[in-house]
Amino acid sequence: MSIFDPFDATNSTKGGAHAAWRALRRTEPVRKDVAPNGTECWSFFRYAECHTILRDTAMFSSTSGALLNCVGAPDPAGGQALALTDPPQHTALRRPSARAVGPGAVRAHEAEIRVRVRRLLRPILAGGVHDLATALRQLPMIAAGPLLGIPEEHWDNTVVTALATLAPSDPSYQDGDEDETVLRASSRLFGSIRASLATSLSRPETLIGALSATSVDGTALTRRRIMLNVHSALVGGNTATLNVALHLLLHLARTPDLWRAVVDDRSVIAGLVDEAARWTTPAQQLVRRATADVELGGVRLRAGDWVVAWIASANRDESVFSSPYRFDPRRAPNPHLAFGFGPHFCVGAAASRTLLAALVDELADSGVRFALAGPPRHLVSTVVNGIASLPIRFTP
């Protein structure tokens, strides 16, 4: 029996797969797996090969899908959404996306982001036990809402439905079987996006507005394609930022000395956030397809082969990261792949980092003490390293 089943959605609930990945990097860094639908794929567990897969978009295409559940079942949004295109189409979509949600746009909203984070934390800082998976649920939308053009009344729905599409087997999100859950969640998410078009199509500073003025191959984007791109941005951004925040606070609750060090020296916050991204790696893997025959990691890939880059394993590769199982906010360099790499580097990385830094800084300013009030429950998902419940006791 294999020491690691990549299609087992309960891996995280059973303590995670890091022990298995550590052994695989040493003994079987590349192997052939078979998806539940019978499709074969190649799994890569070392940093070097994962880095190559993400960097080389000419050899490893994103147009069939980027998630594990796409193996053998290509994503219907392939070739339409930013994350599911290759250059030059990807470049044409990335330019307006970067203007709308990239570092410059985030800086323009930074003061507003800080105020909203403070407001989100207010009930928590009053004290008592809070399940942070619920209490912080709207955290990613504090930045994504204004940047994408999603009105606040839709924020909670967009986070819940985004998580449901990637964790359809989790008890918190199940709504029928897995396929039914994904379909119903996607329908509700598209409902929020559709409702947002009325106010945001004419606002060029938002992602919705920027995409409405974008052409690819000389053709203006249809409303369907705009919605697919916003859907992709919401699913990726909402699941990543929230779960890095939850894993970070879980670690800080378990290491009070580290928290005291952060409170005493705020200069460490940027490194803390980056290390939290490496430590969590919310998207455990990214999927590509080989566009031509090529050798990688000692195996011969054929054109059309499905390739899985296990970036959660790569981010603990001992050949790249010194003491990779130690959480080190002063780790430098920290070339993790949690935000991707190359042309597909996460366009919302600046927003995520700004939100997480504001969260930590506001908690440090408050002087609040916090500790686990019960065991966390990890998300049931083949894709996301998430936390479904995190009860924390706060003492003002």
Side-chain angles (χ1 to χ4, degrees):
M1 180 179 289
S2 170
I3 62 172
F4 170 60
D5 178 0
F7 298 95
D8 181 358
T10 66
N11 280 325
S12 292
T13 69
K14 296 181 291 191
H18 281 292
W21 290 332
R22 185 177 191 173
L24 286 165
R25 286 194 300 272
R26 185 174 62 253
T27 63
E28 198 177 11
V30 185
R31 74 175 195 185
K32 185 174 285 188
D33 285 311
V34 181
N37 61 20
T39 304
E40 293 183 338
C41 60
W42 291 97
S43 287
F44 291 83
F45 299 102
R46 292 187 304 208
Y47 185 97
E49 287 81 15
C50 290
H51 186 273
T52 297
I53 291 166
L54 300 189
R55 175 182 53 79
D56 192 345
T57 57
M59 186 59 67
F60 299 102
S61 172
S62 299
T63 59
S64 293
L67 305 177
L68 193 63
N69 55 13
C70 295
V71 172
D75 195 313
Q80 302 294 309
L82 177 67
L84 303 175
T85 54
D86 300 327
Q89 291 80 13
H90 177 270
T91 308
L93 288 170
R94 189 174 180 89
R95 288 194 194 103
S97 300
R99 285 196 302 271
V101 305
V106 173
R107 283 193 296 272
H109 285 268
E110 197 160 359
E112 177 190 353
I113 288 170
R114 188 69 180 243
V115 169
R116 289 185 178 273
V117 168
R118 193 176 302 136
R119 188 182 307 157
L120 182 69
L121 288 174
R122 196 172 294 152
I124 295 169
L125 299 182
V129 175
H130 299 267
D131 187 341
L132 296 189
T134 301
L136 296 182
R137 191 159 61 196
Q138 289 195 14
L139 177 69
M141 290 304 295
I142 286 173
L147 295 175
L148 271 63
I150 308 294
E152 191 168 356
E153 61 264 29
H154 294 287
W155 289 5
D156 203 61
N157 179 63
T158 62
V159 180
V160 172
T161 53
L163 285 164
T165 63
L166 298 186
S169 296
D170 191 89
S172 298
Y173 304 106
Q174 275 181 327
D175 187 10
D177 63 25
E178 285 193 15
D179 290 341
E180 290 169 336
T181 298
V182 171
L183 285 171
R184 288 168 179 161
S186 290
S187 178
R188 293 196 301 273
L189 182 53
F190 275 119
S192 286
I193 297 168
R194 188 178 300 108
S196 303
L197 296 182
T199 56
S200 296
L201 279 171
S202 60
R203 295 171 55 210
E205 75 278 9
T206 68
L207 179 63
I208 289 174
L211 291 174
S212 73
T214 297
S215 296
V216 176
D217 295 332
T219 302
L221 299 190
T222 62
R223 287 201 175 193
R224 176 181 179 273
R225 192 164 184 184
I226 292 169
M227 291 174 66
L228 286 171
N229 275 274
V230 177
H231 181 283
S232 178
L234 287 168
V235 170
N238 282 338
T239 55
T241 301
L242 176 60
N243 284 297
V244 173
L246 295 175
H247 276 280
L248 173 57
L249 291 172
L250 171 60
H251 185 75
L252 291 172
R254 287 172 167 168
T255 55
D257 288 347
L258 174 58
W259 176 239
R260 284 191 290 271
V262 173
V263 172
D264 291 342
D265 181 7
R266 307 299 176 82
S267 69
V268 79
I269 289 178
L272 180 86
V273 166
D274 225 32
E275 180 70 341
R278 181 193 75 89
W279 187 258
T280 306
T281 311
Q284 297 184 97
Q285 78 289 119
L286 290 170
V287 169
R288 302 287 190 262
R289 287 187 89 174
T291 60
D293 293 0
V294 64
E295 185 170 311
L296 183 66
V299 300
R300 187 72 178 171
L301 305 176
R302 302 298 181 188
D305 279 358
W306 293 88
V307 175
V308 185
W310 285 93
I311 57 174
S313 171
N315 281 343
R316 303 285 179 103
D317 190 329
E318 298 84 350
S319 70
V320 177
F321 301 96
S322 175
S323 302
Y325 296 93
R326 177 169 58 89
F327 188 105
D328 182 4
R330 299 186 185 278
R331 184 181 298 279
N334 192 355
H336 65 79
L337 303 175
F339 290 119
F341 185 80
H344 281 281
F345 182 79
C346 177
V347 72
S352 183
R353 285 173 166 142
T354 297
L355 279 168
L356 294 166
L359 175 69
V360 173
D361 205 29
E362 288 293 329
L363 284 172
D365 277 349
S366 74
V368 72
R369 301 189 306 280
F370 55 94
L372 277 172
R377 185 175 74 78
H378 290 269
L379 197 68
V380 179
S381 174
T382 57
V383 175
V384 179
N385 178 23
I387 296 178
S389 179
L390 181 59
I392 298 283
R393 181 180 301 279
F394 290 83
T395 305

